[in-house]
């Protein structure tokens, strides 16, 4: 998964299953540090034990990274309640935010974007 890591190209490697889940123990991030020399830096972030309890057997996709340096994860399949996770690498904390108003639909794939803007004005 490609992400914007503080203005640099970052590649976050998924688990061997092709997604993140409760069995994920760490995140492996490669950052393109020097474009001309093609120098990559590898960083490993060990997830806190709370990760396993919050995520359980949910398949998660990486949505991106906030300006505050938090990785954002979203379930790959819509379920009730729908939530996103913020993982702060500096504090090694996880925050789960429940999104209300999605509706009774569940079991469908969902795609979440970190920087999507839509005009919601009524016509």
């Amino acid at each position: 998964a490609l992400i914007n890591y503080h203005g640099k190209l970052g590649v976050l490697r998924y688990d061997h299953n092709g997604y993140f889940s409760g069995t994920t123990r760490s995140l492996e991030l490669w950052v393109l540090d020097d474009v001309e020399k093609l120098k990559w830096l590898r960083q490993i972030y060990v997830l806190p034990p709370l990760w396993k309890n919050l995520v359980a057997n949910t398949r998660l996709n990486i949505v991106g990274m906030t300006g505050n340096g938090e990785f954002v994860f979203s379930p790959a399949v819509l379920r009730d309640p729908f939530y996103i996770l913020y993982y702060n690498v500096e504090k090694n904390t996880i925050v789960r935010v429940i999104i209300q108003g999605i509706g009774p639909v569940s079991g469908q794939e969902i795609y979440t974007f970190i920087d999507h803007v839509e005009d919601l004005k009524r016509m």
Side-chain angles (χ1 to χ4, degrees), residues 39-57:
K39 180 181 176 188
W40 290 84
L41 298 177
R42 179 179 177 226
Q43 299 174 347
I44 303 287
Y45 299 104
V46 177
L47 296 165
L50 179 62
W51 172 269
K52 183 178 180 180
N53 296 336
L54 283 177
V55 175
N57 59 359

Side-chain angles (χ1 to χ4, degrees), residues 57-69:
N57 59 359
T58 304
R59 293 183 308 142
L60 297 173
N61 290 319
I62 183 76
V63 177
M65 190 168 207
T66 68
N68 295 335

